[in-house]
Amino acid sequence: MKPAPSKAVRKARSRILILDDHPIMRQGLVQLLAHEPDLQVCGEANEAREALAVIPKTLPDLLLADLSLPDRSGLELIKDLQLQFPELKVLVLSMHDESLYAERVLRAGGRGYVMKQEGGRKLLEAIRKVLDGQIYVSEKIAGKILEIFAGRRQQAATSPVELLTDRELEVFQLIGQGLSTQAIASRLSVSVKTVEVHRVNIKSKLQLATLPELVHQAVRWVESKGMI
């Protein structure tokens, strides 16, 4: 007769892959998660390319990712992940303004958005909610999204920058960071002509007449968001 097990079988810990290009940030997240009995860090990556290579080897349940990556846009990465690893849940941890980026992350396929200014308790809450199949955003953003679904978007204060597509927003940000058209094309792996088309569209949406006006507006916006 087999003796009864002395303890209940422990539930497997959820596996988390951390994607951030700042080593100190990754180290802090590893230390935070190390104290959680239901969570474990299965790997780290500092750029999108590395994350795509590591995912099949580490098989994470959740990718905890920054939006600002050295090799490509975090939004574009999320879209690719939806195609390549549709079961993988993505939670964004970013310094960027949630009022502009949280909705874009959800549209791209992400499951939640947390700003880096939030404490560890909020982040752990977000991780567990996303792992549980829920969406996580702040109450403020949740209210905004509900207004959108209720058809009251026009009543909400909308910045002209919000009218930009994800790619246009990325080009706008890079212009504000001082990159030339050629440099932007190289960074995004697109042609110079494509960047020029985006630039024309951005000027139209922001109601700017000239390129110097666009550059000035982009620099001011980037500075206001602390992206330099």
Side-chain angles (χ1 to χ4, degrees):
M1 182 175 177
K2 282 188 176 182
S6 58
K7 293 182 180 179
V9 177
R10 182 179 297 175
K11 183 180 178 182
R13 300 166 78 185
S14 296
R15 300 167 61 80
I16 298 173
L17 175 65
I18 298 172
L19 171 58
D20 195 295
D21 64 331
H22 294 93
I24 293 178
M25 187 67 190
R26 294 200 307 271
Q27 183 180 3
L29 291 171
V30 168
Q31 291 177 354
L32 173 69
L33 296 170
H35 297 289
E36 302 306 311
D38 57 330
L39 307 172
Q40 66 172 318
V41 175
C42 64
E44 300 177 38
N46 67 359
E47 61 181 15
R49 187 183 303 107
E50 184 180 3
L52 289 170
V54 168
I55 288 170
K57 301 174 184 177
T58 57
L59 301 176
D61 299 299
L62 180 143
L63 174 66
L64 183 59
D66 193 3
L67 277 185
S68 296
L69 302 171
D71 58 340
R72 66 180 307 188
S73 159
L75 288 172
E76 296 303 314
L77 173 63
I78 294 172
K79 293 172 186 176
D80 282 351
L81 290 172
Q82 283 293 293
L83 296 174
Q84 297 184 44
F85 309 101
E87 299 302 317
L88 177 62
K89 298 177 176 67
V90 181
L91 173 63
V92 167
L93 177 63
S94 176
M95 60 173 281
H96 296 321
D97 187 355
E98 63 177 352
S99 65
L100 182 59
Y101 284 95
E103 183 191 340
R104 293 174 185 269
V105 165
L106 296 183
R107 285 204 312 260
R111 304 293 296 175
Y113 195 99
V114 182
M115 293 192 68
K116 287 184 175 179
Q117 292 91 324
E118 297 285 2
R121 183 181 299 177
K122 280 285 187 184
L123 176 58
L124 292 172
E125 177 187 350
I127 288 173
R128 291 187 172 106
K129 280 195 172 183
V130 171
L131 285 169
D132 197 38
Q134 301 178 56
I135 297 290
Y136 184 92
V137 292
S138 70
E139 291 184 7
K140 172 185 173 183
I141 297 303
K144 177 183 176 183
I145 292 172
L146 285 174
E147 283 189 344
I148 292 169
F149 280 109
R152 294 198 296 267
R153 178 156 195 150
Q154 296 304 320
Q155 298 175 16
T158 301
S159 163
V161 176
E162 292 186 44
L163 301 175
L164 303 180
T165 66
D166 293 342
R167 183 62 96 184
E168 289 166 355
L169 180 62
E170 189 175 8
V171 171
F172 184 64
Q173 178 181 330
L174 294 174
I175 291 172
Q177 292 174 340
L179 273 69
S180 67
T181 300
Q182 181 66 52
I184 294 173
S186 177
R187 173 75 174 269
L188 302 181
S189 300
V190 299
S191 68
V192 169
K193 186 174 182 179
T194 297
V195 175
E196 291 173 346
V197 170
H198 286 314
R199 201 170 61 193
V200 169
N201 291 337
I202 294 168
K203 284 197 300 180
S204 175
K205 290 181 179 180
L206 301 186
Q207 299 182 353
L208 302 171
T210 67
L211 178 58
E213 286 180 343
L214 171 60
V215 173
H216 179 67
Q217 186 87 347
V219 170
R220 287 183 57 191
W221 184 80
V222 165
E223 288 178 344
S224 73
K225 301 298 181 182
M227 296 179 180
I228 292 182

